[in-house]
Amino acid sequence: MHVVVAETDKFQSALNKVSNNTSKSDSNPVQSAIKIWTKADKLLITAVDTTSHQLTLGVSATVQIPGSILIEAEHFSKVISKFGDQVLMFDSEPNSGELNIKIGKDNIDFNLFSADMDDFPIEKSLPPVVATINGDKLAEFTKSLINGTLNKEQDISFTTVEDEDKLRGYVGDATSGLLIRSEVSIKDKQQEFNFKIPFTTLKRLPLFTGDINIHIEEGKVAFSKDDEHFLIRIADTEDDSEALDYIFDKGPSGYITTRLDQLKKKLAILRVSKSTQVTKLAVNSDAKTLVLSAHDFTRGNMLLEIGLGDIQGQTPNLLFDASCLDRAASAVDSETAMISYILHESEDSDIWVIKMFDESTPNSKQAVILPIQE
């Protein structure tokens, strides 16, 4: 293999991202290595974790002699990251067991990983394409779900909207006190589909720009752009969106509008005290303000206010878990927010919840927060 890489910064960025996706599995140590390989005019880097995912990123390169190698990820990544934007020249002779890299006047020899290339558990092909999505919109869509996750052990659910070119994501449950629903447009949908991804895996999804493909088959979902991809191994495809949509789509009994950035600032002030667990929201209709109050048994009380725009219908005083409010505001992440007050009635009891969403794009990012019962 003989390859020249001029875009050193892009290679270092891709190398760091891929190296952070290797597995530390003692049962299969080859997963601590990365595969560096050529394809046409690109140098590609792949990491594999057979329990969760596979990532391939690449950069443009001048490929004089094609080839592929396995190399221990951590040391290689740390060394290469220390160099600036100088041109990299990769040279590895077959069966030599070494990779030589020339960087300016410097020469570095790396020992290759002592394993057969066939032992590297890479998926050689991706599942069929089922839809296309804009990479920037996908990033915003998943950011909302990640920001709204309370428990890192949670799975995040995805499902298409039947007969519409839309994909919805859900995280949370009633017991946690917070539910998030995010929605994004997709194109060229070939079929309806649904899947679940662990929070810790979804956080690794790289930023792809432009149109990217979504691939689906049993046990796998992948996102790809040209030769780059992120493949995720999934175990659960149960679709529980119908029950969640009922909670999100029920009509409100009242609502308020406010600036979300101001709400975030006041919530942050209340959360300065680590022992503040509960926040009360009360609407002052006469003053057109939302009053946020919290009690700290050791440090005293806080009473903060933010201005409101519209106030309509019933807006009862409610108590909420402070962390749920924080996460909800981070998930919606807009300039202005509408907060709807929704009454869910049942034979056993009636319960009020609030739904927070972006007033200008109400379906894109929504958070339902369940109150603490007094």
Side-chain angles (χ1 to χ4, degrees), residues 116-157:
D116 192 283
M117 190 64 69
D118 292 337
D119 294 332
F120 193 67
I122 189 172
E123 296 277 351
K124 292 182 172 60
S125 61
L126 298 179
V129 175
V130 294
T132 304
I133 189 170
N134 177 270
D136 294 326
K137 291 182 179 179
L138 175 65
E140 186 68 20
F141 168 72
T142 56
K143 178 184 175 183
S144 173
L145 297 166
I146 290 169
N147 286 349
T149 301
L150 283 169
N151 182 354
K152 294 181 179 180
E153 301 303 317
Q154 285 182 310
D155 287 339
I156 299 179
S157 303

Side-chain angles (χ1 to χ4, degrees), residues 16-34:
N16 288 336
K17 290 175 183 177
V18 174
S19 296
N20 288 333
N21 280 272
T22 55
S23 170
K24 303 299 188 288
S25 171
D26 293 333
S27 60
N28 195 358
V30 73
Q31 293 183 79
S32 67
I34 52 175

Side-chain angles (χ1 to χ4, degrees), residues 14-63:
L15 177 61
N16 288 336
K17 290 175 183 177
V18 174
S19 296
N20 288 333
N21 280 272
T22 55
S23 170
K24 303 299 188 288
S25 171
D26 293 333
S27 60
N28 195 358
V30 73
Q31 293 183 79
S32 67
I34 52 175
K35 179 181 178 180
I36 299 178
W37 51 295
T38 59
K39 185 175 181 181
D41 57 353
K42 282 189 175 181
L43 187 63
L44 301 172
I45 318 165
T46 298
V48 175
D49 184 331
T50 54
T51 64
S52 59
H53 65 282
Q54 171 177 303
L55 174 62
T56 294
L57 298 177
V59 295
S60 298
T62 301
V63 179

Side-chain angles (χ1 to χ4, degrees), residues 219-260:
K220 299 172 189 174
V221 60
F223 301 91
S224 75
K225 173 69 181 288
D226 300 327
D227 295 316
E228 300 183 321
H229 70 261
F230 186 64
L231 181 144
I232 304 163
R233 294 170 177 84
I234 54 177
D236 191 354
T237 57
E238 181 182 357
D239 183 7
D240 47 14
S241 60
E242 185 175 350
L244 294 171
D245 284 337
Y246 172 78
I247 298 173
F248 280 96
D249 294 338
K250 185 173 173 56
S253 299
Y255 69 85
I256 59 175
T257 60
T258 188
R259 287 187 59 86
L260 190 58

Side-chain angles (χ1 to χ4, degrees), residues 260-305:
L260 190 58
D261 57 347
Q262 293 298 314
L263 178 59
K264 285 182 177 180
K265 288 179 182 179
K266 297 302 171 72
L267 289 171
I269 294 171
L270 293 178
R271 293 285 283 164
V272 167
S273 172
K274 300 299 183 183
S275 57
T276 299
Q277 301 297 325
V278 178
T279 299
K280 182 177 182 179
L281 300 187
V283 175
N284 185 331
S285 299
D286 295 332
K288 293 197 74 173
T289 60
L290 179 65
V291 181
L292 296 79
S293 57
H295 178 69
D296 185 322
F297 289 102
T298 60
R299 295 179 176 86
N301 300 320
M302 288 193 191
L303 198 67
L304 307 176
E305 294 187 4

Side-chain angles (χ1 to χ4, degrees), residues 17 40 65-66 75 96 122 126 168 177 189 196 212 230 248 263 275 331 355 372:
K17 290 175 183 177
I65 301 176
H75 175 67
S96 68
I122 189 172
L126 298 179
R168 283 180 179 167
K189 184 173 69 172
K196 291 184 179 181
I212 65 174
F230 186 64
F248 280 96
L263 178 59
S275 57
K355 180 171 73 172
I372 297 171

